[in-house]
Amino acid sequence: MLAKSKGLLVLLCVLSLSFSMAHAENLFVIENGDTHVNDVVAIDGVNVYAVMEAGLFAGISGAGETALSSKGLAFEGVGQRMSGEYYLFQIERNALNSLHPSAAVVYYDGKEAIVNIQNGIDLSRNNNVKGLTRISFVPKPIVENKAGYQRGDMLIDPEIQQIVDQVTEAQFTNWIQTMQDFVTRYSYTSSCRAAEQWAVNTFDSYGYDTELWAYSGEGGNTWYNAIGRKVGTVYPDSIYIIIGHLDAISEDPYNDAPGAEDNASGTACVLEAARVMQGYDFDCTIEFICVTGEEQGLYGSEAYAQWCYSNNRNIGGVLNFDMISYAGGYGWDTNIFSDQNFAAEVALADLLSQTTDEYSDAVPDRINTDGPEYGSDHYYFSYYGFPAPFSIDAELWYAPDWYPWYHTTDDVISNLDLDFGTEVVKGAVACLATVANLSIPPVLEFNYPNGLPELIDPDGGTTFRVEVT
């Protein structure tokens, strides 16, 4: 947390820039401690723009400063809001000098950094940058902290097991190989546009409603999320989403960004789920989404999450899979993250843990954090109040089993444990089928060969023929 005694370093770069009146706002990092983020969001004069490990990044008016002080909350100013883009990420102190000269560091605490970019530099090309997340400056709403699914002893559902049994390592491998064969899926390239079209064509081949969902990517470029939509048969307006990012990055991204682990593996989870679930009906709508722009700061998922929030869509949960097929000699553990302050998200993460444990050989490891973990595509869904657990095969960037070929041209399929990744997919499919409520044909079927009478005699005596199977 933000504590002066720990030697907080705040770097303010004095730049000769003109300020737009729309950006005339003082920015701060708030140490919220044990105070729930909803209580900070509710304060007049405080706009929360990002949830960090160190606290909350916010714009605060004079009245907001007074209110925060009255609640005993510490906050540090990081300067007036400038034009350009702001990004949040983690970086080691000795790597700060690797940032592009135009990246103005406005906050750094020895681990987390916030920078301002004026000229469209792609920070994702710096491999010292971890968890890159663009700050959109849309104020965080209050998230309803309602309970979700009840955790209990899970019984294997034979109908769901039938779907899970169709998940194969051969097809999981084929998905990853096909994505690697695009050579590069860097968000700026025509190859990434081709991959988007391939993904939507795949969903179309399974009979889903499809959409190439356009959004404004980094630098104002038009990029697309590929969506396959299976409409629910009972509650079509109740939606569950499974998501993975299709784009990739490396030290030579225009020419070679194979992205097998990051994130063909997670996208293969989405595509394999779409394949095995195509022949079944579900009460609720399922959206299978391959997003892009993740490596540049979550552009695709942020745009879609904000659109869902603005349109008041009834999203019951989002399952995000990012890097799921590297064991690294530490066993088949899959880490499932959730925001401990968001009861529905915790419950959904618990359910994913249960289905992974019961329907697969992967080993779920549940991790609750103080706020949504930034740096992957669940972040903005959780930010806007949609329960969104995050699954990854290592406990983030500095873990001993972190993928050693991360963001390099050596991120290829031969480095992956495809058996392991296949098992993670099985847990995902079981969870999705459970929450979307697989529609089971009735045990008894009723047939009326002579039709039903239009009127029933209230005194009795009306007869009709019924065949029960």
Side-chain angles (χ1 to χ4, degrees), residues 33-369:
D34 294 330
T35 303
H36 196 284
V37 62
N38 279 348
D39 295 330
V40 179
V41 169
I43 297 173
D44 289 338
V46 176
N47 289 324
V48 173
Y49 296 129
V51 180
M52 311 162 57
E53 289 187 14
L56 305 173
F57 180 63
I60 307 176
S61 69
E65 291 186 43
T66 301
L68 288 169
S69 297
S70 69
K71 291 179 178 291
L73 297 177
F75 50 94
E76 294 281 348
V78 296
Q80 191 177 44
R81 181 179 167 191
M82 297 177 281
S83 59
E85 300 284 1
Y86 280 76
Y87 294 88
L88 165 66
F89 54 89
Q90 294 186 15
I91 189 169
E92 294 182 346
R93 189 182 300 274
N94 60 10
L96 277 175
N97 59 4
S98 70
L99 293 174
H100 193 276
S102 68
V105 181
V106 299
Y107 169 83
Y108 184 65
D109 67 353
K111 180 181 179 181
E112 293 184 291
I114 296 175
V115 304
N116 173 258
I117 297 288
Q118 293 291 322
N119 56 359
I121 297 299
D122 184 5
L123 291 172
S124 69
R125 299 183 66 173
N126 184 331
N127 212 22
N128 295 308
V129 170
K130 314 295 184 184
L132 182 64
T133 299
R134 184 177 72 108
I135 299 173
S136 64
F137 285 98
V138 176
K140 189 180 189 311
I142 292 176
V143 173
E144 184 181 357
N145 196 27
K146 61 184 178 181
Y149 309 97
Q150 295 299 312
R151 185 179 178 91
D153 293 333
M154 175 168 287
L155 298 176
I156 297 295
D157 185 321
E159 302 291 339
I160 292 177
Q161 184 68 64
Q162 184 182 71
I163 302 175
V164 171
D165 287 344
Q166 296 176 56
V167 174
T168 68
E169 181 184 342
Q171 187 57 61
F172 180 67
T173 302
N174 181 64
W175 293 128
I176 296 175
Q177 186 64 60
T178 300
M179 283 179 272
Q180 180 175 299
D181 289 345
F182 279 97
V183 183
T184 180
R185 301 189 310 280
Y186 186 43
S187 291
Y188 291 88
T189 64
S190 59
S191 292
C192 191
R193 302 290 83 75
E196 294 162 351
Q197 187 64 59
W198 164 77
V200 86
N201 289 348
T202 300
F203 294 140
D204 183 66
S205 73
Y206 296 144
Y208 296 142
D209 296 340
T210 60
E211 184 177 3
L212 270 177
W213 196 87
Y215 66 92
S216 180
E218 203 283 327
N221 295 285
T222 299
W223 297 339
Y224 301 89
N225 297 328
I227 302 174
R229 188 174 291 112
K230 187 175 185 65
V231 178
T233 57
V234 180
Y235 309 110
D237 293 332
S238 294
I239 303 164
Y240 290 90
I241 294 173
I242 183 170
I243 194 167
H245 75 87
L246 181 60
D247 60 305
I249 190 70
S250 74
E251 71 275 23
D252 186 21
Y254 280 102
N255 298 304
D256 187 12
E261 164 75 336
D262 186 19
N263 182 43
S265 65
T267 305
C269 179
V270 176
L271 294 165
E272 184 65 348
R275 183 183 73 86
V276 301
M277 299 175 87
Q278 62 179 302
Y280 298 86
D281 290 328
F282 298 87
D283 289 353
C284 303
T285 293
I286 301 174
E287 291 187 344
F288 306 89
I289 306 181
C290 304
V291 299
T292 53
E294 191 270 356
E295 300 292 4
Q296 286 66 49
L298 317 184
Y299 277 85
S301 56
E302 189 275 333
Y304 197 69
Q306 184 177 333
W307 178 79
C308 289
Y309 175 74
S310 298
N311 286 276
N312 199 29
R313 300 184 85 208
N314 182 22
I315 295 177
V318 180
L319 303 177
N320 174 39
F321 295 87
D322 192 350
M323 303 175 64
I324 63 168
S325 200
Y326 178 71
Y330 288 86
W332 282 8
D333 62 304
T334 178
N335 298 271
I336 302 171
F337 286 79
S338 63
D339 177 1
Q340 65 186 8
N341 301 307
F342 191 174
E345 184 169 294
V346 170
L348 183 54
D350 285 346
L351 182 64
L352 176 59
S353 177
Q354 282 187 284
T355 58
T356 299
D357 186 52
E358 295 291 341
Y359 288 89
S360 84
D361 291 330
V363 180
D365 187 4
R366 281 283 289 110
I367 301 169
N368 285 327
T369 55

